[in-house]
């Protein structure tokens, strides 16, 4: 499929391999394995001498369709789908790093990513230095002779801090370090990290790519050389954190509406952010589309809109924040984001509860902070829901 096509067209027409039945909507191939014509063909497939499906831990046509579609949207040569966003991050680090290697990572990462780097990888002698998401010099200063990977999320979860992808890619390249960007909050509709110089894009497909909170999934994207020869595909094939055909089908269809959803999420989120800024009991609003955001200029240049996530701090700490949550009737009290239904989260006691208080303080996650993933409801209904608790 031509990469001259616009994203909304690519999202509908890439990755289509019709069966003999000529179905219009993509078929779902729910099968563990595939049948060979004879023993020689089986041997040739296993040896990689003949293309074709073998076993759904590492080859499945529905999963391939999703991988092709997302790769087209991100402008990536290759995409490897995984069972969740966390397994995409795991596949990335297990594929690229060895014991004794070092990571420089943003201090403003999803809590489970911090835990993976800080506790699990540490047991395998891979150390991580956490630095400010926004201070390029700090990344440069943290480089060690054994640093192999820069890892960041932008906008970050939950503070919506913006990292300068192009500047960090330049720093990384000079030292032969790979830059991986978790593009979960923006999706390729709003931001394309590979075009800005990143080597790897990570997704939790659980979020906006699905868009209706139905499945768990993830993806790693980048060059063929890095993903296929660099060990990431090898890790997935051997260890098996694979995306299921069912989940691949759901998210493949989710991608078809990604552009109009991201536009709608962004428009409503901007209205919500502006409205929250005017509320007397709101201390501060964090949204990249607001002129008051510290990296507003960079966000404008790097991403198309501010996205769908608005974080805000209420006066009165945890008690006041929980009051807002408990007073809501429409907005779901849940940890997910990127759903058509708006979701409201208290990061300090949920998504970021298992990291240390010290790490929470360093990331700026306060007790009065709330994160709303603005869905597709009418904005006035969301405001009416929040105003009760505010
Ligand atoms: C930015 C970000 N990256 C990764 C993940 C992990 O994704 P998953 O829950 O699909 O494993 C999340 C989950 O909330 C996230 O917010």
């Amino acid at each position: 499929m031509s990469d001259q096509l616009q994203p909304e067209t690519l999202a509908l027409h890439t990755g289509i391999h019709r069966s003999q039945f000529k179905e219009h909507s993509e078929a779902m191939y729910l099968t563990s394995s595939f049948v060979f014509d004879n023993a020689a063909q089986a041997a040739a497939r296993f040896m990689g001498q003949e293309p074709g499906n073998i076993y759904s831990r590492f080859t499945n046509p529905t999963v391939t369709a999703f991988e092709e579609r997302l790769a087209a949207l991100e402008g990536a040569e290759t995409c490897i789908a995984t069972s969740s966003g966390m397994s995409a991050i795991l596949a990335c680090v297990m594929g690229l790093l060895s014991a004794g290697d070092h990571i420089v990572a943003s201090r403003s990462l999803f809590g489970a990513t911090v835990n993976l780097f800080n506790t699990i990888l540490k047991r395998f002698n891979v150390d991580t230095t956490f630095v400010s998401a926004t201070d390029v010099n700090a990344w440069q200063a943290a480089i060690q002779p054994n640093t192999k990977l820069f890892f960041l999320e932008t906008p970050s979860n939950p503070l919506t801090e913006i990292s300068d992808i192009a500047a960090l890619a330049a720093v990384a390249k000079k030292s032969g370090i790979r830059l991986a960007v978790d593009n979960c909050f923006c999706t390729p509709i709003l931001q394309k990290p590979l075009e800005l110089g990143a080597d790897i894009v990570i997704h939790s497909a659980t979020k906006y790519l699905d868009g209706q909170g139905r499945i768990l999934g993830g993806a790693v994207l980048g060059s063929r050389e890095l993903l296929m020869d660099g060990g990431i595909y090898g890790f997935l094939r051997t260890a098996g954190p694979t995306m299921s055909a069912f989940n691949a089908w759901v998210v493949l269809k989710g991608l078809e509406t990604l552009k109009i959803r991201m536009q709608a999420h962004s428009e409503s989120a901007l209205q919500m952010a502006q409205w929250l800024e005017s509320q007397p009991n709101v201390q501060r609003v964090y949204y990249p589309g607001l002129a008051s955001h510290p990296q507003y200029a960079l966000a404008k240049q790097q991403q198309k809109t501010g996205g769908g996530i608005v974080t805000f701090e209420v006066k009165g700490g945890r008690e006041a924040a929980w009051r807002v949550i408990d007073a809501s009737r429409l907005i779901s009290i849940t940890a997910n984001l990127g759903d058509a239904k708006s979701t409201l989260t208290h990061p300090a006691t949920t998504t970021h509860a298992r990291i240390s208080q010290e790490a929470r303080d360093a990331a700026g996650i306060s007790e009065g902070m709330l994160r709303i993933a603005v869905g597709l409801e009418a904005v006035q209904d969301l405001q009416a829901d929040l105003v009760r608790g505010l």
Side-chain angles (χ1 to χ4, degrees):
M1 190 66 55
S2 160
D3 56 11
Q4 303 301 315
L5 295 174
Q6 296 302 306
E8 58 271 48
T9 313
L10 290 172
L12 287 158
H13 291 279
T14 320
I16 294 177
H17 304 279
R18 293 204 164 92
S19 76
Q20 76 269 31
F21 299 115
K22 299 281 182 202
E23 65 283 349
H24 186 220
S25 177
E26 297 76 354
M28 192 197 308
Y29 293 94
L30 283 179
T31 176
S32 324
S33 64
F34 297 84
V35 178
F36 308 112
D37 291 340
N38 49 51
Q41 188 184 53
R45 291 254 176 107
F46 268 87
M47 293 306 290
Q49 293 156 348
E50 179 190 298
N53 295 298
I54 301 173
Y55 186 71
S56 286
R57 179 163 14 90
F58 47 96
T59 48
N60 177 283
T62 317
V63 177
T64 303
F66 163 67
E67 290 170 336
E68 288 178 1
R69 192 166 287 182
L70 185 59
L73 289 171
E74 284 285 3
E77 245 173 48
T78 305
C79 172
I80 296 176
T82 58
S83 57
S84 68
M86 287 317 302
S87 62
I89 299 171
L90 180 69
C92 173
V93 295
M94 294 303 271
L96 297 182
L97 305 180
S98 302
D101 287 343
H102 173 249
I103 303 172
V104 181
S106 163
R107 240 184 342 232
S108 306
L109 291 177
F110 175 55
T113 313
V114 175
N115 269 341
L116 172 67
F117 289 0
N118 227 359
T119 57
I120 298 174
L121 290 188
K122 216 178 214 142
R123 295 205 331 259
F124 296 90
N125 197 23
V126 172
D127 278 330
T128 303
T129 304
F130 292 95
V131 294
S132 157
T134 57
D135 180 357
V136 176
N137 293 333
W139 290 73
Q140 172 77 61
I143 295 174
Q144 300 177 7
N146 55 344
T147 305
K148 292 282 164 57
L149 185 69
F150 277 8
F151 192 99
L152 61 91
E153 276 169 44
T154 181
S156 68
N157 181 4
L159 253 82
T160 73
E161 285 179 294
I162 308 293
S163 297
D164 188 334
I165 299 175
L168 289 170
V171 171
K173 270 200 181 81
K174 260 195 293 165
S175 301
I177 296 165
R178 309 288 191 190
L179 170 63
V181 175
D182 183 330
N183 201 23
C184 182
F185 274 31
C186 270
T187 82
I189 299 300
L190 304 186
Q191 171 174 278
K192 291 171 86 171
L194 298 175
E195 280 182 1
L196 296 166
D199 300 290
I200 289 180
V201 168
I202 299 284
H203 274 288
S204 165
T206 317
K207 308 295 180 329
Y208 290 106
L209 304 189
D210 168 16
Q212 293 182 52
R214 297 165 293 191
I215 56 101
L216 258 84
V220 189
L221 298 107
S223 70
R224 197 174 164 73
E225 185 193 357
L226 196 56
L227 268 67
M228 303 308 284
D229 311 334
I232 297 173
Y233 172 73
F235 173 75
L236 185 99
R237 179 172 177 150
T238 307
T242 313
M243 181 179 273
S244 74
F246 178 81
N247 288 5
W249 184 84
V250 170
V251 70
L252 176 73
K253 303 304 284 178
L255 287 180
E256 295 186 349
T257 53
L258 184 62
K259 183 168 177 189
I260 51 170
R261 284 189 287 107
M262 290 313 292
Q263 283 170 340
H265 284 298
S266 300
E267 278 166 25
S268 297
L270 178 59
Q271 287 181 47
M272 288 298 287
Q274 287 165 338
W275 174 80
L276 282 164
E277 266 194 330
S278 72
Q279 295 304 299
N281 287 328
V282 172
Q283 200 159 316
R284 186 162 172 197
V285 182
Y286 302 80
Y287 182 66
L290 284 179
S292 59
H293 191 283
Q295 293 98 39
Y296 175 65
L298 175 61
K300 256 190 125 162
Q301 172 194 324
Q302 189 168 272
Q303 50 187 78
K304 284 209 172 82
T305 66
I309 308 294
V310 181
T311 296
F312 58 104
E313 229 168 319
V314 293
K315 294 176 185 163
R318 182 190 296 195
E319 201 184 316
W322 279 19
R323 200 178 316 124
V324 175
I325 292 181
D326 292 342
S328 72
R329 294 182 202 144
L330 193 65
I331 305 177
S332 312
I333 310 170
T334 179
N336 199 22
L337 61 92
D339 195 313
K341 297 183 180 77
S342 292
T343 62
L344 186 60
T345 309
H346 184 243
T349 51
T350 59
T351 52
H352 292 71
R354 291 187 312 135
I355 63 173
S356 66
Q357 182 65 47
E358 200 188 357
R360 257 195 313 276
D361 291 343
I365 298 167
S366 72
E367 290 287 325
M369 189 170 278
L370 290 165
R371 184 194 74 193
I372 175 163
V374 180
L376 303 178
E377 302 92 340
V379 170
Q380 66 261 40
D381 294 335
L382 298 176
Q383 291 172 348
D385 203 39
L386 284 184
V387 88
R388 259 192 309 274
L390 285 172

